Amino acid sequence: MSGSQDLWSGRVLDGRYQIDSELARGGMATVYRAQDLRLDRPVALKVMRADLARDETFVRRFVHEARAAARLQHPHIVSVYDQGEDDGCVYLAMELVEGQTLRDVIRTRAPLSTRQALDLLLPVTEALAAAHAAGMVHRDVKPENVLLGTPHPRTDPIVKVADFGLARMEGVASVTTEMLWATAAYLAPEQIDGQTSDPRTDVYAVALLLFELVTGRKAFPGEDPVRVAYEHVHGGVPHARELAPTVPRAVEQLILRAGAVEPDDRPQDATELLHDLRTLRLELSDTDLDALPGGDETIPVQVDGDRTQVVPVGTPHQHTRHSGSTGHTGHTDHSSQSGATATRALPVRDGIPGRASSPAAPGGYARTTGNRSPARRPAPPAPRPARRRGIGGWIIGLLLLALLAGGGYGFWYLTEGPAVHSEMPPVAGLTQVEAREALDRKELDAFFTPVYSEDVPADTVISADYEPGAVLRHGTDVTMELSQGPERYAVPRLDGVTPGDAVDLLRDNQLSLGEQHTEHHETIPAGQIIRSDPEVGAQVPPGTAVQVWVSDGLAPVGLPNVVGSTEAQATGELSRLGLTVEIDPQRVSDEEVPEGSVVSQDPTPGEVEAGSTVRLVISDGPELVEIPQVVGRQFSAVEQELTDLGLVVTRDDVRGGFFGSVRSQSIEPGEMVPRGTEIVLEVV
């Protein structure tokens, strides 16, 4: 890991994204592998260069494009999760795709068969078709922006297109020439001429990808991005079969049509191109789909450091290495061109035959000529209107010379096109659609920032960052404040939650907790909110204090005195009051309370909480005693015994009761009677 990586490793951005390691580094940003601590998932974190992050115009465009890209949802498009800024560090959180890029495949395996190339390009085209349907143009389709989720194209990789909507940012004045180096080989002519990019711009780039996959080299190789840009405008896409004769003629024709210099000659968007690619795949035979240049062996891939050098005939030549160049190898051509302007293609690698070629096209790309049969030559593309030449060509030539002499500004001017300007139209008071149409007529790019307004109706432009009449370059971004109407927030549902939870819910809706009142409630437990004012769903301004009523539990009830009532009477009365009745299983004797009636209750009569439990003790009546056998016994002996049992003893003397012996008793022996019962004894 480099020193810069050490500085970033372990850093947490925005309190959420913990950087792990560096994945890639480009002119605008560095991409890191990071962990989303909030959602516990790995992400790819794209961190803008510090100097670009200080450019307010750049950051504003970055935010707009990131938002637009986040709206694209497609299985072959890298998802944009989040965008933010932390202490001047502008970042973009994206889906992490583990694997390699299409550039890796081209370096290690190209040229591919037509089937293999279509397997990789069809998902790319599907992604672009979805973007075009959503009104978005990628503008920077290149192998580095095509990610493969598996390490080998023959294992059904998960193909995803990255950096949707962000490529256009590389055209701003603050971006250096080095940032455009990787893009120059795939720029469409209209991008270089400063014309408006549209879906046909992406179609052109896909044609170049297909060319590179089936031939193993770029359509416009070269070390100088200015020279490469010139080739896009004036050279035209080469014929793929000249480099790889096994490429089906129909594939070559599709590349030439999709890569036409004039946008009108191409498929009009990726949806049309996708239909053409699918039709092509169905119409080609298996032999054509699986054919590889050189039979069973693949032509060596052109990688950094290995290239074909084009030198004049008769000039001493030697193998040369240049980092970052591209080239091709192929079959030997048995003819050569005479004269001082002829060139010869000499391969760098020993043992790989070179090929004589016709005079080199600008940029060092040699077209093969010679003894090739006319029947084998690819059919020329359909005639197209001549592009601007004459004075325009001289201007471009002068610009090229200026750029070669002095650098970045000339290349920016070339890729942005002539300085065409328009006056800023008045847009305040227009609807979003009307404002966009007004800017489109002036060839200006419209962006909208939603803002709330108490005075301006919703979907109406409030203001723009340029005054009406301001002279602006074509393609300038114009940001307008678009009214969303009054700022209102819905009062969330608070019933059943505690006041503490209500604070968080209200804060999420830009509201606050107001006064709290308490009242009893039959169903909502104590401590939970019963209702709010304003009520649920009411639209209120931000910061509104919402009053709540909190449950104090069930209202208290008066507990009556049920002592002396029968068990059934007491239970019914208490139940009607919402109280729970509990009967003591152990009855007690009571001299005053009849059997089956309530002897005591707990709690005692008074005010209790609703739903409280009342415990009742039931009387078993007075205590009973067993009558003993006293007949034949002396009255003096049994009187005390019966009195001790709680009975009332009455003596009835017969014949004067001279002998004092009990002759009879009024209650039969063994009978159970309450205490206090009178028993009469006859004494003789």
Side-chain angles (χ1 to χ4, degrees):
M1 180 178 293
S2 67
S4 62
Q5 289 173 288
D6 291 335
L7 293 175
W8 281 90
S9 180
R11 177 173 175 178
V12 178
L13 291 185
D14 224 2
R16 177 172 182 177
Y17 302 105
Q18 184 171 28
I19 294 178
D20 180 16
S21 58
E22 182 179 306
L23 296 178
R25 180 173 297 190
M28 285 199 310
T30 302
V31 180
Y32 298 94
R33 180 189 179 94
Q35 185 72 14
D36 185 341
L37 301 179
R38 185 179 303 170
L39 298 180
D40 191 24
R41 65 178 177 185
V43 297
L45 205 64
K46 188 168 188 176
V47 180
M48 295 296 102
R49 254 176 40 190
D51 58 328
L52 298 179
R54 290 190 293 269
D55 186 333
E56 293 183 2
T57 301
F58 184 91
V59 173
R60 183 176 60 196
R61 296 189 66 170
F62 172 74
V63 172
H64 284 310
E65 299 294 346
R67 289 176 179 172
R71 291 195 295 267
L72 290 177
Q73 298 295 326
H74 190 274
H76 295 304
I77 294 177
V78 173
S79 298
V80 175
Y81 296 146
D82 189 15
Q83 180 276 321
E85 181 177 355
D86 183 5
D87 193 23
C89 176
V90 180
Y91 67 86
L92 186 69
M94 303 175 293
E95 174 186 6
L96 178 65
V97 180
E98 303 277 10
Q100 56 184 346
T101 67
L102 190 60
R103 172 64 65 204
D104 299 322
V105 173
I106 293 172
R107 285 173 177 164
T108 58
R109 297 199 54 81
L112 305 178
S113 68
T114 299
R115 187 190 304 276
Q116 293 169 330
L118 292 179
D119 284 344
L120 294 170
L121 277 191
L122 281 171
V124 174
T125 312
E126 290 176 10
L128 293 173
H132 293 170
M136 178 175 288
V137 181
H138 191 291
R139 298 181 178 88
D140 193 25
V141 178
K142 57 187 178 183
E144 289 77 5
N145 282 337
V146 179
L147 309 181
L148 308 179
T150 53
H152 195 288
R154 289 196 177 94
T155 56
D156 295 329
I158 302 173
V159 181
K160 288 182 177 284
V161 181
D163 275 1
F164 261 96
L166 302 181
R168 61 178 293 153
M169 297 185 59
E170 297 185 0
V172 298
S174 60
V175 181
T176 63
T177 302
E178 289 79 2
M179 295 182 189
L180 283 165
W181 168 243
T183 302
Y186 305 94
L187 289 175
E190 61 269 21
Q191 290 176 291
I192 297 171
D193 270 355
Q195 301 175 28
T196 302
S197 299
D198 61 26
R200 297 171 296 184
T201 303
D202 292 344
V203 169
Y204 181 88
V206 174
L208 301 191
L209 292 185
L210 181 55
F211 180 95
E212 195 167 348
L213 287 171
V214 297
T215 65
R217 55 152 289 166
K218 293 179 180 178
F220 300 102
E223 299 178 3
D224 184 355
V226 177
R227 193 68 173 175
V228 172
Y230 181 93
E231 276 298 294
H232 282 282
V233 178
H234 299 279
V237 177
H239 289 248
R241 287 170 57 83
E242 293 186 2
L243 291 173
T246 56
V247 173
R249 194 175 302 276
V251 174
E252 181 183 64
Q253 290 301 313
L254 179 58
I255 293 174
L256 292 174
R257 186 166 75 90
V261 174
E262 294 293 341
D264 289 341
D265 295 336
R266 306 174 203 153
Q268 294 306 291
D269 57 24
T271 300
E272 183 179 341
L273 177 62
L274 181 62
H275 175 268
D276 292 346
L277 290 172
R278 288 171 173 168
T279 301
L280 179 68
R281 183 166 187 162
L282 291 174
E283 292 177 349
L284 291 176
S285 66
D286 289 342
T287 301
D288 286 337
L289 285 171
D290 295 324
L292 283 169
D296 294 335
E297 294 186 2
T298 301
I299 294 176
V301 178
Q302 298 301 319
V303 297
D304 293 346
D306 297 319
R307 69 185 184 98
T308 299
Q309 184 78 8
V310 181
V311 297
V313 173
T315 302
H317 58 269
Q318 60 184 355
H319 293 181
T320 308
R321 292 186 179 270
H322 289 277
S323 175
S325 60
T326 60
H328 74 276
T329 60
H331 301 291
T332 302
D333 193 338
H334 300 288
S335 67
S336 64
Q337 299 291 328
S338 63
T341 60
T343 59
R344 176 179 303 165
L346 299 178
V348 172
R349 297 180 178 177
D350 295 336
I352 301 176
R355 181 170 68 183
S357 59
S358 63
Y365 173 66
R367 301 288 179 88
T368 303
T369 63
N371 297 334
R372 190 186 300 272
S373 170
R376 293 177 55 85
R377 293 186 62 81
R384 59 178 178 256
R387 290 186 58 80
R388 301 186 304 276
R389 292 296 186 265
I391 295 176
W394 285 105
I395 293 176
I396 293 178
L398 291 174
L399 290 175
L400 292 176
L401 291 175
L403 181 62
L404 291 173
Y409 177 79
F411 182 67
W412 170 82
Y413 189 87
L414 178 66
T415 56
E416 286 291 312
V420 181
H421 296 80
S422 294
E423 286 190 0
M424 174 67 189
V427 293
L430 300 181
T431 66
Q432 182 177 9
V433 172
E434 293 169 343
R436 189 183 297 278
E437 291 175 349
L439 291 179
D440 285 345
R441 288 192 292 269
K442 298 293 186 178
E443 298 188 48
L444 303 173
D445 290 342
F447 293 97
F448 296 92
T449 300
V451 297
Y452 294 104
S453 174
E454 296 290 330
D455 305 317
V456 180
D459 195 40
T460 302
V461 174
I462 301 173
S463 64
D465 53 6
Y466 296 102
E467 294 294 330
V471 178
L472 304 176
R473 184 183 182 88
H474 284 176
T476 298
D477 290 346
V478 177
T479 301
M480 292 162 280
E481 290 187 342
L482 186 68
S483 173
Q484 304 298 295
E487 184 177 9
R488 295 292 184 267
Y489 296 92
V491 176
R493 181 174 295 279
L494 302 177
D495 54 296
V497 305
T498 65
D501 293 336
V503 170
D504 295 333
L505 290 173
L506 291 168
R507 183 187 299 119
D508 292 342
N509 285 40
Q510 309 300 316
L511 305 175
S512 62
L513 183 63
E515 295 182 4
Q516 301 181 44
H517 312 278
T518 59
E519 65 179 35
H520 298 291
H521 199 276
E522 293 183 358
T523 58
I524 297 181
Q528 295 184 5
I529 293 175
I530 303 170
R531 66 181 185 279
S532 65
D533 182 25
E535 62 184 7
V536 177
Q539 298 290 325
V540 297
T544 297
V546 178
Q547 298 184 71
V548 295
W549 278 258
V550 182
S551 173
D552 199 21
L554 296 170
V557 297
L559 176 62
N561 184 4
V562 294
V563 173
S565 302
T566 65
E567 179 180 346
Q569 292 171 337
T571 300
E573 183 177 359
L574 296 176
S575 297
R576 284 190 295 271
L577 295 174
L579 302 173
T580 301
V581 178
E582 181 180 292
I583 304 298
D584 193 320
Q586 183 65 44
R587 294 195 173 196
V588 297
S589 298
D590 192 283
E591 300 296 332
E592 298 178 357
V593 180
E595 180 182 2
S597 295
V598 177
V599 174
S600 64
Q601 64 183 66
D602 184 28
T604 57
E607 194 173 76
V608 296
E609 292 184 5
S612 298
T613 298
V614 180
R615 185 179 182 85
L616 302 179
V617 178
I618 307 301
S619 171
D620 201 20
E623 184 179 357
L624 299 180
V625 296
E626 183 179 359
I627 301 298
Q629 172 65 267
V630 295
V631 174
R633 299 175 58 192
Q634 288 294 310
F635 175 80
S636 58
V638 301
E639 180 181 19
Q640 187 61 44
E641 180 180 348
L642 295 175
T643 300
D644 292 341
L645 290 175
L647 300 176
V648 177
V649 180
T650 300
R651 177 172 176 163
D652 183 14
D653 291 334
V654 178
R655 296 178 184 175
F658 179 77
F659 293 101
S661 174
V662 178
R663 188 175 71 174
S664 65
Q665 56 190 79
S666 60
I667 301 175
E668 293 297 326
E671 187 174 345
M672 303 297 295
V673 298
R675 287 178 175 273
T677 300
E678 180 183 19
I679 183 171
V680 179
L681 303 179
E682 287 188 346
V683 179
V684 294

